[in-house]
Amino acid sequence: MNRLLLFLLISSSLIAAGGCTVRKNTSATRNYQAFITRYNVYFNGKEHYDETVAAMEKDYQDDYSRLLPLHPAEMRGNGEFPQPAGSFTRSIEKSQKAIQLRSIKKRPRREPGHKNDPEYREWLKREEYNPFLHNAWMLMAKSQFMDGDFLGAASTFFYITNHFTWLPSTVTEARIWLARSYCAAKRVNEADAVLKRVRTADLTNGTLKGEYAFVRAEIDIARGRYAEAIPSLKEAARYASGRQSQRLRYLLGQLYLREGNFPEARREFEKIEKTPSAPHAMRFNARIRRSEAITGSDIDRKTMQDELKSLGKLARYESNSQYLDQIYYAMGNIYLATGDTAKAEESLAKAIGLSQRKSTDMALAAVALGNLYFRTARYDKAQPNYAMAVNILPENYAGIKELREKSDILDKLAVYSNTIAVDDSLLRLAELPRPEIYAIVDKKIERLKKEEKERLEREKERLEQARNQPIAVSGTTGQAIITPQIRPAGAETQWYFYNPTLREQGKQEFRRLWGNRRQEDNWRRSERNNPAEFTDDPAARQSGDLTELSDTLPGIYTREYYLKDIPFAEEDKLKLKAQIADALFEMGLLLKNELDDNASASAAWLRFLKEFPDDARRKDVLYNLFMMASADNKNSDAQRWREMILSEFPESPEGVAVKDPRYIDHLKEMNANQEKLYEDTYRNYLENRNGKVLENVAFARKNYPLSPILPKFIFLEALTYVTAQQPLKVSELLREITEKYPSADVSPLSAEWLRQLDSGRQLAVGEGNLTGWMQTRLFADSAAVSTPTPQGLDFAFDENAPHFVLIAFPADIVDPNSMLFEIARYNFNTFTVRDFDISLNRYGRIAVVRLAGFDNRQDAEHYHTLVSSALPPLLPEEARVVVISEGDFNLLLNGGRSLADYLEALEMKTDTDVHRAVLPDNEYPSPQEMYGEFDDEPDDSTQPRQE
């Protein structure tokens, strides 16, 4: 009771002393406004924020087959994932109301005797005198973030870092959340740049340490640097609580798993399993993921048997029928760990066959089975499993690029393998008596007829079931009700191919009806015309059974249809043998260069040498066999191939090379040392040690004359002569690159610089080597070095004007032509209707890919988000994306300023916009009142300030 009376007395005193106006700035009014702000509007907004965040973290349905997001709110920027529930509009409105009603901008009356006190002078220069109001700004920014307005939140956090500089902890927290906002908006480079401004000494409490570790982990994960993310994620999980702590622990287990740290992965997943408060789905999936972390080296056999028994019990429960794919997938992983590949193959096949959802879990089983076949060189069986997986897995699945590449390689390999099998079978058929050939053909025809009849019966049964399906009828109109396709809440109305959710629904429906089909002609048919089926030789049958023939011609049931492909004439036999030779040669190259399968490549090339001894490619085959044997330390075989090369092709480049008995040793030394040497050379260049650069380049020229990266050494040599102001030497070296190494990645840039020098232009010369590319000045003539206008630039920032998207990068690190090609290819694959004008410009060291065709800033920002979040990543870490209006870009060029100048001006404009969006202009003090120097003001001790 006494505390309540004291509270009322203090409140009454504050009201009596200061009133409720923000036009006065006294100690009483400041304390009163802080008190009202905290326990009135802000309190309600903060309560709503905390409750909504807690509900979002608790109720969000995670997809445990993918890397979990660090927080559900970040999924608001990704339409392919389920969207979290909850609106933060109320918290935003409450924060804005608190700022609008309780902000104290007016400077206080000066106290006599403090004119020379630096701390007092700084206090008078503050832009906000309500000591609690920074909390309202932070609440508004965090609410914007949780609501999915990541760029709006970034603007507000940026404002806080500029306008509350006297609160270092608040500035540090705002800077961390600014980085988090950029990362959620898929602008990882910007996020990293912001977070690097946070020093360890700034992290003064547990909250800041946890938030910093959270964002550091998020940036590393976005870049695929899982090993670097693990320590930060562990730190973030230590400071988290509740469901958020469980999510981070599960994600930590996933990262350990990807990095091959299986003991730590098992430990994290076991913690989740034994956490009663964790949701059932998370604990079940932790149980499945734990099976992926079991290896024979650190788990005894009895433990593995216990694991298998436990999973077998799970499979028998009816309630787990929809999770059989995950259970058998886990069992397959354990069998793989024990080395029982037969049981593993059986379990993984069950996981695929029993899958009811055709989801990511089924795809993971297909990948595991494909890997098993791949390791045992059963490429014909690995290929369909990889093809199935890449058609199901999402575009942002980690490793999808490698899977696609492997699947594409196996596609090519299957073509060559099938060519050899078919042509071999046809040649064998041609040697048989005609009656035997007719018998094989007739047997084939009878089988096809039987399969077609069975297929038609199944189709008839399916149609009959479809007719008997009940149709809902409207009770009021008597019309059949067609259930519309469900669209997620908040999904935009847009064309089908621009909506990732609708596209995914279409993919799932296609797979439900047709299964997993490759993108090719005649995809409805599971087999093409394959004469390999004519033979009884199992080795010749590699293309499956023909089961769907609804679109075939009647001729498929006649002998003539098949007999026409059999090579009875000698000319036709020679043609097929030539096809076999081509297939064997190309198959060997694929197996060696793409799959690193030297044993299988050797088998293909040995047959090539035996059956086609006079082929013009014999020299290439012998050289490859020599290189593979040397790499595998098969010295006797290597010597055998070396002698054959010297005997048959002594004057060829290969013959001259292998004459040196230490040829292989020289190659190994070059491969091991050249990359380290280049890294050292480039580091010395950045540190302006040009003497060491020239020394390293001379060493590379002498010892690695055939190195594929020698042109990069020469380019660095040319750059050192730029700094030394020797244009003739620069031209000489650039010309050497373009003439001797036209296909090198630095050749296009060298050619452009050479053209500029030959036309009389001069390269920019500074005090040191070219390093700070974002500060490079841009000029309208794209090459001349002139003096920029001394006056500052007055950018218009017209958001409704046509805009450019600039993708800027250092041209000496990133190849401009390759960057141009990749962006053009991305646009072609992503935008089927829209087209953008794309051009490449160079401004000294900086290269800029400019895209035009955007109606306004919002349109350009949308493209910025798309290109920054492309998976696999499209832009290198060195690239920066700048959105700028056409008028401001022309002003930038004519003024001779850098992109860094424009970004700085944009930041200041953003800062002002945030302030004016919350506080109207008439709430601002005058510039003289806010920033005026003391000496220009009357002394308050003799002339009181009017309130």
Side-chain angles (χ1 to χ4, degrees):
M1 185 66 181
N2 291 335
R3 294 177 64 185
L4 177 61
L5 289 174
L6 179 61
F7 174 81
L8 294 174
L9 285 173
I10 293 174
S11 302
S12 302
S13 300
L14 289 173
I15 294 172
C20 61
T21 181
V22 295
R23 297 290 181 180
K24 294 183 179 181
N25 187 349
T26 64
S27 176
T29 58
R30 291 192 295 272
N31 290 329
Y32 170 77
Q33 295 297 340
F35 180 85
I36 294 299
T37 302
R38 180 171 187 170
Y39 292 106
N40 190 356
V41 184
Y42 172 82
F43 176 83
N44 295 327
K46 187 66 165 60
E47 285 288 303
H48 178 266
Y49 173 86
D50 291 340
E51 292 172 1
T52 309
V53 169
M56 175 191 293
E57 294 174 353
K58 179 181 178 182
D59 299 334
Y60 184 73
Q61 300 299 316
D62 285 294
D63 182 353
Y64 296 102
S65 61
R66 310 185 190 186
L67 280 183
L68 294 190
L70 276 81
H71 194 276
E74 293 154 10
M75 294 300 96
R76 294 191 189 271
N78 193 332
E80 295 185 6
F81 285 83
Q83 295 299 294
S87 171
F88 292 82
T89 303
R90 184 182 178 195
S91 297
I92 295 173
E93 291 174 348
K94 290 293 183 181
S95 303
Q96 291 176 335
K97 184 177 180 181
I99 295 168
Q100 291 169 352
L101 296 179
R102 304 300 170 186
S103 177
I104 302 177
K105 294 290 183 181
K106 188 175 183 62
R107 283 173 57 180
R109 178 181 299 175
R110 271 181 47 209
E111 298 179 6
H114 293 278
K115 182 176 182 180
N116 297 320
D117 185 347
E119 291 186 6
Y120 184 71
R121 289 163 63 92
E122 289 299 318
W123 181 74
L124 286 180
K125 290 182 179 180
R126 289 185 181 180
E127 301 175 43
E128 178 58 60
Y129 289 94
N130 183 333
F132 190 80
L133 203 67
H134 62 279
N135 294 288
W137 280 102
M138 287 294 294
L139 177 61
M140 182 172 70
K142 291 180 180 180
S143 299
Q144 289 172 320
F145 178 93
M146 293 295 172
D147 225 21
D149 183 11
F150 302 127
L151 294 181
S155 299
T156 308
F157 284 124
F158 178 76
Y159 174 87
I160 295 171
T161 62
N162 281 353
H163 291 266
F164 292 92
T165 53
W166 62 91
L167 299 172
S169 294
T170 300
V171 170
T172 299
E173 185 177 14
R175 191 163 285 146
I176 293 171
W177 276 80
L178 173 60
R180 184 177 176 183
S181 301
Y182 278 138
C183 195
K186 312 298 182 186
R187 301 185 179 183
V188 183
N189 292 349
E190 288 92 331
D192 194 23
V194 170
L195 199 64
K196 285 178 179 177
R197 298 181 61 188
V198 179
R199 302 169 302 173
T200 304
D202 298 331
L203 306 177
T204 55
N205 56 59
T207 299
L208 293 178
K209 291 177 182 178
E211 290 176 345
Y212 178 87
F214 183 99
V215 182
R216 183 69 266 164
E218 190 169 26
I219 292 173
D220 288 332
I221 291 173
R223 287 178 168 170
R225 298 175 178 174
Y226 302 130
E228 292 87 340
I230 287 174
S232 300
L233 189 59
K234 287 179 66 176
E235 182 77 0
R238 188 165 71 89
Y239 287 100
S241 60
R243 185 62 50 81
Q244 188 61 13
S245 174
Q246 297 160 7
R247 176 178 287 105
L248 297 184
R249 286 291 177 188
Y250 188 96
L251 176 58
L252 187 58
Q254 290 178 306
L255 296 190
Y256 277 129
L257 195 61
R258 293 205 175 186
E259 288 301 303
N261 191 341
F262 298 132
E264 289 296 334
R266 286 199 309 276
R267 188 172 294 112
E268 293 299 332
F269 288 131
E270 285 172 359
K271 288 179 183 177
I272 297 295
E273 285 184 76
K274 296 176 181 178
T275 304
S277 60
H280 171 75
M282 180 181 285
R283 287 186 283 123
F284 179 84
N285 279 275
R287 176 70 182 81
I288 302 302
R289 297 285 86 78
R290 186 159 60 86
S291 72
E292 299 177 6
I294 293 178
T295 60
S297 60
D298 55 0
I299 296 292
D300 59 85
R301 192 168 189 82
K302 183 180 181 304
T303 302
M304 291 189 179
Q305 292 299 328
D306 293 340
E307 292 282 337
L308 289 170
K309 288 181 182 179
S310 174
L311 290 169
K313 290 179 181 179
L314 288 176
R316 289 194 289 271
Y317 288 119
E318 182 65 27
S319 59
N320 289 332
S321 60
Q322 61 177 323
Y323 304 117
L324 291 177
D325 48 3
Q326 292 179 275
I327 295 172
Y328 281 108
Y329 168 65
M331 295 175 72
N333 288 327
I334 296 175
Y335 281 125
L336 285 173
T338 62
D340 192 343
T341 56
K343 285 286 189 182
E345 184 177 333
E346 179 184 344
S347 296
L348 294 172
K350 278 186 177 181
I352 298 170
L354 295 175
S355 179
Q356 299 180 13
R357 298 168 293 169
K358 311 297 181 188
S359 62
T360 303
D361 298 304
M362 175 184 175
L364 292 176
V367 171
L369 186 56
N371 289 339
L372 175 59
Y373 289 138
F374 189 87
R375 286 195 297 269
T376 54
R378 289 179 285 176
Y379 301 122
D380 57 327
K381 290 189 174 183
Q383 188 274 334
N385 283 283
Y386 287 138
M388 178 193 304
V390 298
N391 284 331
I392 295 177
L393 291 173
E395 293 295 324
N396 59 354
Y397 180 80
I400 188 68
K401 180 180 179 181
E402 291 76 12
L403 278 176
R404 280 209 180 92
E405 291 175 351
K406 192 178 290 186
S407 179
D408 291 342
I409 293 169
L410 291 177
D411 287 346
K412 299 175 186 176
L413 190 64
V415 171
Y416 298 130
S417 176
N418 189 63
T419 297
I420 295 169
V422 171
D423 290 352
D424 279 344
S425 67
L426 288 173
L427 289 169
R428 282 192 295 269
L429 279 171
E431 300 301 323
L432 295 176
R434 289 296 179 106
E436 291 187 29
I437 296 176
Y438 295 155
I440 293 174
V441 171
D442 291 343
K443 184 179 179 180
K444 167 82 172 180
I445 292 172
E446 287 302 318
R447 183 169 65 84
L448 292 179
K449 288 180 178 179
K450 180 182 177 181
E451 290 174 349
E452 176 68 2
K453 182 179 179 181
E454 293 174 352
R455 192 199 65 79
L456 291 174
E457 289 176 352
R458 289 195 302 269
E459 182 68 13
K460 182 179 179 181
E461 182 180 350
R462 188 184 68 80
L463 293 174
E464 189 66 27
Q465 290 177 352
R467 292 192 194 99
N468 294 333
Q469 290 258 340
I471 301 177
V473 178
S474 170
T476 57
T477 65
Q479 303 252 338
I481 299 174
I482 301 174
T483 304
Q485 189 173 28
I486 298 175
R487 176 171 298 182
E492 297 181 2
T493 302
Q494 54 183 304
W495 192 38
Y496 173 88
F497 291 103
Y498 284 171
N499 190 316
T501 304
L502 294 182
R503 289 204 313 268
E504 186 59 30
Q505 289 176 351
K507 290 179 183 178
Q508 296 291 342
E509 180 65 14
F510 180 87
R511 294 186 195 114
R512 186 183 67 80
L513 292 174
W514 296 100
N516 291 289
R517 300 297 179 94
R518 295 194 58 74
Q519 297 179 9
E520 58 185 354
D521 294 338
N522 300 320
W523 58 267
R524 297 174 185 82
R525 298 173 57 185
S526 61
E527 178 192 12
R528 312 297 176 263
N529 177 27
N530 188 357
E533 287 291 323
F534 301 160
T535 178
D536 291 330
D537 181 5
R541 300 183 182 182
Q542 297 193 11
S543 61
D545 296 329
L546 196 148
T547 57
E548 294 190 17
L549 299 169
S550 60
D551 55 351
T552 58
L553 299 173
I556 200 170
Y557 301 117
T558 64
R559 284 181 178 176
E560 291 75 14
Y561 184 82
Y562 303 100
L563 294 176
K564 69 179 187 303
D565 293 319
I566 300 176
F568 295 112
E570 192 63 29
E571 180 182 351
D572 294 333
K573 291 179 182 179
L574 291 175
K575 182 178 179 182
L576 291 188
K577 289 180 180 179
Q579 292 178 357
I580 292 173
D582 292 341
L584 286 171
F585 181 78
E586 296 296 337
M587 181 187 293
L589 289 177
L590 271 176
L591 290 167
K592 172 184 175 288
N593 298 330
E594 304 291 346
L595 300 179
D596 295 323
D597 187 349
N598 289 349
S600 297
S602 296
W605 277 332
L606 285 174
R607 179 183 171 185
F608 178 91
L609 293 176
K610 179 181 179 180
E611 297 184 10
F612 310 100
D614 299 325
D615 193 285
R617 293 165 290 191
R618 180 179 177 84
K619 176 191 64 175
D620 297 328
V621 170
L622 289 173
Y623 181 77
N624 277 287
L625 288 169
F626 165 73
M627 294 297 295
M628 288 192 301
S630 300
D632 296 338
N633 294 318
K634 297 179 179 179
N635 297 328
S636 60
D637 289 341
Q639 184 62 22
R640 173 189 169 197
W641 304 124
R642 177 173 178 268
E643 291 175 356
M644 291 181 69
I645 295 172
L646 292 173
S647 173
E648 299 179 27
F649 310 99
E651 302 303 324
S652 66
E654 291 82 0
V656 173
V658 300
K659 282 180 182 178
D660 183 357
R662 295 195 69 251
Y663 175 66
I664 296 297
D665 293 333
H666 289 317
L667 287 179
K668 290 179 179 179
E669 291 172 1
M670 183 185 75
N671 293 332
N673 298 329
Q674 63 178 354
E675 291 291 346
K676 292 182 180 179
L677 181 63
Y678 180 76
E679 291 176 4
D680 179 71
T681 306
Y682 186 67
R683 182 171 59 254
N684 280 290
Y685 170 77
L686 294 178
E687 295 172 0
N688 294 314
R689 291 198 287 264
N690 290 345
K692 184 63 176 177
V693 172
L694 296 176
E695 180 183 333
N696 286 356
V697 173
F699 182 87
R701 284 180 179 274
K702 178 181 178 181
N703 294 277
Y704 309 131
L706 299 179
S707 170
I709 65 172
L710 183 60
K712 297 174 70 173
F713 281 97
I714 301 174
F715 188 78
L716 286 180
E717 182 182 8
L719 291 180
T720 63
Y721 287 109
V722 171
T723 306
Q725 301 186 40
Q726 298 184 31
L728 294 179
K729 188 64 176 178
V730 175
S731 297
E732 176 187 336
L733 293 170
L734 294 177
R735 188 166 284 107
E736 179 183 357
I737 294 173
T738 57
E739 292 178 355
K740 290 186 177 181
Y741 312 99
S743 60
D745 55 358
V746 294
S747 186
L749 178 61
S750 301
E752 174 63 20
W753 282 25
L754 188 61
R755 185 182 67 82
Q756 299 287 353
L757 287 171
D758 290 344
S759 66
R761 304 290 188 184
Q762 293 183 351
L763 294 172
V765 178
E767 296 179 357
N769 292 337
L770 303 173
T771 54
W773 65 273
M774 277 296 288
Q775 282 72 38
T776 300
R777 292 171 175 173
L778 279 59
F779 297 96
D781 64 0
S782 78
V785 177
S786 60
T787 303
T789 54
Q791 274 72 19
L793 300 179
D794 188 13
F795 294 109
F797 298 113
D798 185 357
E799 297 191 354
N800 296 319
H803 272 65
F804 293 143
V805 172
L806 309 179
I807 301 175
F809 48 90
D812 55 340
I813 299 177
V814 180
D815 178 39
N817 291 325
S818 297
M819 191 76 255
L820 179 67
F821 173 77
E822 291 297 332
I823 294 171
R825 183 171 65 173
Y826 171 80
N827 290 346
F828 179 78
N829 293 332
T830 306
F831 304 96
T832 55
V833 176
R834 293 194 63 175
D835 189 21
F836 304 107
D837 294 331
I838 184 170
S839 61
L840 175 64
N841 303 95
R842 292 186 177 88
Y843 308 93
R845 185 192 176 199
I846 188 174
V848 177
V849 174
R850 185 178 67 182
L851 294 104
F854 302 97
D855 295 334
N856 48 51
R857 186 174 189 85
Q858 183 179 6
D859 191 21
E861 287 284 3
H862 177 66
Y863 180 89
H864 180 186
T865 301
L866 290 177
V867 76
S868 298
S869 59
L871 289 174
L874 175 66
L875 303 179
E877 293 182 15
E878 297 84 2
R880 291 292 299 274
V881 181
V882 178
V883 174
I884 186 172
S885 69
E886 292 185 14
D888 286 345
F889 180 70
N890 292 330
L891 184 62
L892 193 68
L893 292 181
N894 294 330
R897 296 292 183 178
S898 68
L899 291 174
D901 295 333
Y902 172 76
L903 292 177
E904 182 179 356
L906 180 62
E907 285 183 347
M908 297 309 299
K909 189 258 184 185
T910 302
D911 184 272
T912 303
D913 287 347
V914 171
H915 202 154
R916 290 177 176 170
V918 181
L919 286 174
D921 289 342
N922 57 13
E923 293 293 330
Y924 278 85
S926 66
Q928 293 78 13
E929 182 181 3
M930 183 176 293
Y931 301 113
E933 291 296 329
F934 289 97
D935 293 340
D936 297 333
E937 298 176 358
D939 192 329
D940 286 339
S941 61
T942 59
Q943 200 168 2
R945 183 186 297 272
Q946 296 296 319
E947 297 293 351

